Amino acid sequence: MSANTTEGVQRGRMRVRGYDEPEFEFQMLRGLGAINYGGGTPGELLLAADAVRACMAAQPEESRDPAGCWVQAHAALAQRVEKAAWACLEGNHPVSARDHFFRASMYYRSAEYFCDPYTPEHRKWGLSSRACFIAGAQRLDPPVQVVHIPYENADIPAYFFTPPGADSIPRKTVIVHTGFDGSAEELYFECGRAALERGYNVLAIDGPGQTGMTRLHPQLKFRPDWEVPIRAVVDWLAEQAGVDMSRLGLYGISLGGYFALRAACFEPRIRALALNSPILDLKAYQLGFFPPEMVNDPPEVRLEWLPDIPRSELPDDLRALLKIVFFRFGVESVHEWLNALDHFQTGDHIGRLAIPCLSMVGEAEGGEPLAQARQFCDAAGGEVTERVFMLEEGAGGHCQLENLPLSSAVLYDWMDEVFER
């Protein structure tokens, strides 16, 4: 045997490490969850995480910009993957190009998430996410239908997916939308592809105030009467030949648990409602993100004051949350926002719900979501199936992003059973 001339054998140099910052940790899990359906790869996401940590370590602690590091790392990753997608197209490799475009779309969305919503870069990364997603989804079988649903003086951006082999035969259909910071593009990986695999048509939408809508119509903000945009959406679906209106479901995710619940109370054409999780009182839910002292005695914090408030008084994560809150609700102060939230209530309307409903919530989401889910189960006028996801299932977190296959199995198995009655 020859003498050793190598340096040994390794399995690799990449190490799995998370973040000390809870919001960064959640957003990393969010990206890792999308891997199940083609929205990322472990290697690329871990590479971005290393880049974020390296960027932060290179900055003086007193002027460290964690959000800026996150945006820089994920935007750079998105651009590299998008470049690879275009190279695949030039080489006539459409499947590889599609997969690259999908991942690039999700990485641009990650960059958009922590980017200041009042800057041009925020819209730039958002539109890049949309463009990459469309480039990928046009290479599905069958290709996606990019939809602009008439709504007041604008339109609701949406994607209409049909399963392979679909024709004009009416099929079961689900409308899906998220809540505070998700996008219709992300919904494909979160729950859309799983629905297609089960034979559903899928209409993924972004309503007023939501991410995809504000990219195109930034003047439109969240509204409490979500039945108005949903009515326009259902009107559009009713005109599509391949939609069985007797098997029409609505699925609301995160803050979409309020929006979908409110809409279903007034839209009789919805035949099955799934909420992940149910939100009856959006004000109580959103205040759960803030320290108790701020909830009990909310200070007057205005948008123009945010850059000058020291970190000792307003941590970076809370500062970023307030900024995106102001942007999406169309307000300029904490007091304006709290006054606006008073209108985001389902009130007694929930008793009108006579359709089958599914309540989904994770045991680790906190006391407020669990309490509101319980209240929903007690107050809804129709049959409610309750599902609490447990930590021991690897699914106890917000919207089960750490275990999307389990979440989708629960959701669509329930919806199948409702529509087969």
Side-chain angles (χ1 to χ4, degrees):
M1 180 178 292
S2 61
N4 286 337
T5 58
T6 68
E7 296 181 0
V9 176
Q10 297 185 66
R11 296 295 192 181
R13 289 188 294 172
M14 185 168 286
R15 300 294 180 262
V16 178
R17 290 186 294 164
Y19 293 99
D20 294 330
E21 299 83 358
E23 185 61 22
F24 276 21
E25 185 79 357
F26 175 73
Q27 294 304 324
M28 183 178 180
L29 283 173
R30 185 175 182 171
L32 290 170
I35 289 171
N36 291 283
Y37 298 104
T41 70
E44 288 168 347
L45 287 165
L46 293 174
L47 187 68
D50 282 344
V52 173
R53 283 188 288 267
C55 172
M56 291 171 60
Q59 296 176 342
E61 186 171 355
E62 63 275 8
S63 59
R64 188 167 292 166
D65 180 14
C69 288
W70 177 283
V71 173
Q72 175 182 309
H74 288 82
L77 173 60
Q79 289 169 325
R80 289 197 300 273
V81 177
E82 181 186 3
K83 183 178 179 180
W86 290 112
C88 287
L89 275 188
E90 292 175 3
N92 196 28
H93 304 296
V95 174
S96 298
R98 178 200 65 201
D99 293 349
H100 289 328
F101 278 128
F102 277 157
R103 300 198 316 281
S105 172
M106 285 294 284
Y107 301 151
Y108 278 126
R109 187 212 63 77
S110 291
E112 176 189 29
Y113 180 85
F114 277 111
C115 195
D116 187 328
Y118 294 95
T119 64
E121 286 76 18
H122 182 265
R123 187 167 185 264
K124 173 185 175 181
W125 302 134
L127 290 176
S128 294
S129 177
R130 174 180 168 84
C132 283
F133 182 81
I134 291 173
Q138 286 176 336
R139 290 164 175 84
L140 291 172
D141 179 23
V144 71
Q145 183 178 347
V146 181
V147 178
H148 296 273
I149 298 171
Y151 165 73
E152 297 189 348
N153 295 321
D155 56 73
I156 294 173
Y159 301 106
F160 188 51
F161 303 90
T162 53
D167 47 30
S168 59
I169 298 175
R171 292 176 176 263
K172 55 190 177 181
T173 301
V174 60
I175 303 167
V176 295
H177 65 67
T178 183
F180 186 66
D181 53 49
S183 68
E185 295 83 23
E186 183 180 16
L187 287 169
Y188 172 78
F189 307 102
E190 193 167 339
C191 61
R193 206 184 94 178
L196 291 168
E197 291 170 348
R198 292 162 170 83
Y200 285 78
N201 297 321
V202 179
L203 183 67
I205 70 168
D206 277 304
Q210 294 184 319
T211 298
M213 178 74 99
T214 57
R215 294 169 186 160
L216 304 175
H217 306 291
Q219 76 280 8
L220 296 179
K221 306 300 180 181
F222 286 142
R223 59 184 298 167
D225 52 344
W226 203 251
E227 62 272 18
V228 177
I230 287 296
R231 186 180 306 124
V233 169
V234 177
D235 285 347
W236 183 87
L237 272 175
E239 297 177 355
Q240 309 309 307
V243 175
D244 180 354
M245 292 296 291
S246 70
R247 296 187 293 168
L248 178 61
L250 175 62
Y251 180 39
I253 302 171
S254 191
L255 263 62
Y258 165 78
F259 294 125
L261 173 54
R262 168 73 193 224
C265 289
F266 294 92
E267 178 46 74
R269 291 171 291 181
I270 301 297
R271 300 301 179 90
L273 174 67
L275 305 171
N276 194 356
S277 63
I279 300 176
L280 291 71
D281 181 343
L282 190 58
K283 185 174 187 176
Y285 185 97
Q286 290 223 282
L287 287 178
F289 287 97
F290 293 85
E293 62 272 14
M294 186 173 178
V295 175
N296 296 329
D297 185 19
E300 177 58 309
V301 179
R302 300 193 62 80
L303 176 62
E304 64 267 25
W305 299 349
L306 290 178
D308 301 320
I309 301 176
R311 287 178 171 172
S312 59
E313 297 180 18
L314 188 67
D316 287 336
D317 57 348
L318 190 53
R319 189 190 317 269
L321 177 57
L322 282 174
K323 189 168 283 191
I324 195 68
V325 160
F326 293 164
F327 178 73
R328 297 205 179 280
F329 281 89
V331 298
E332 296 187 356
S333 75
V334 166
H335 287 176
E336 283 184 50
W337 172 54
L338 294 176
N339 290 335
L341 283 176
D342 286 333
H343 301 285
F344 287 78
Q345 312 281 334
T346 57
D348 295 333
H349 303 308
I350 189 172
R352 304 165 58 131
L353 275 178
I355 58 175
C357 297
L358 174 64
S359 167
M360 306 166 70
V361 65
E363 69 163 331
E365 292 196 63
E368 187 62 37
L370 287 166
Q372 294 207 29
R374 182 71 260 158
Q375 183 183 355
F376 168 74
C377 292
D378 292 340
E383 171 195 343
V384 180
T385 300
E386 182 179 14
R387 181 58 154 89
V388 179
F389 293 86
M390 310 302 289
L391 286 168
E392 64 190 28
E393 299 176 284
H398 184 57
C399 299
Q400 304 88 56
L401 294 177
E402 68 271 55
N403 197 341
L404 291 175
L406 174 60
S407 181
S408 290
V410 169
L411 166 65
Y412 294 119
D413 290 355
W414 170 82
M415 199 168 284
D416 282 345
E417 292 169 6
V418 168
F419 289 151
E420 288 170 4
R421 293 176 186 174

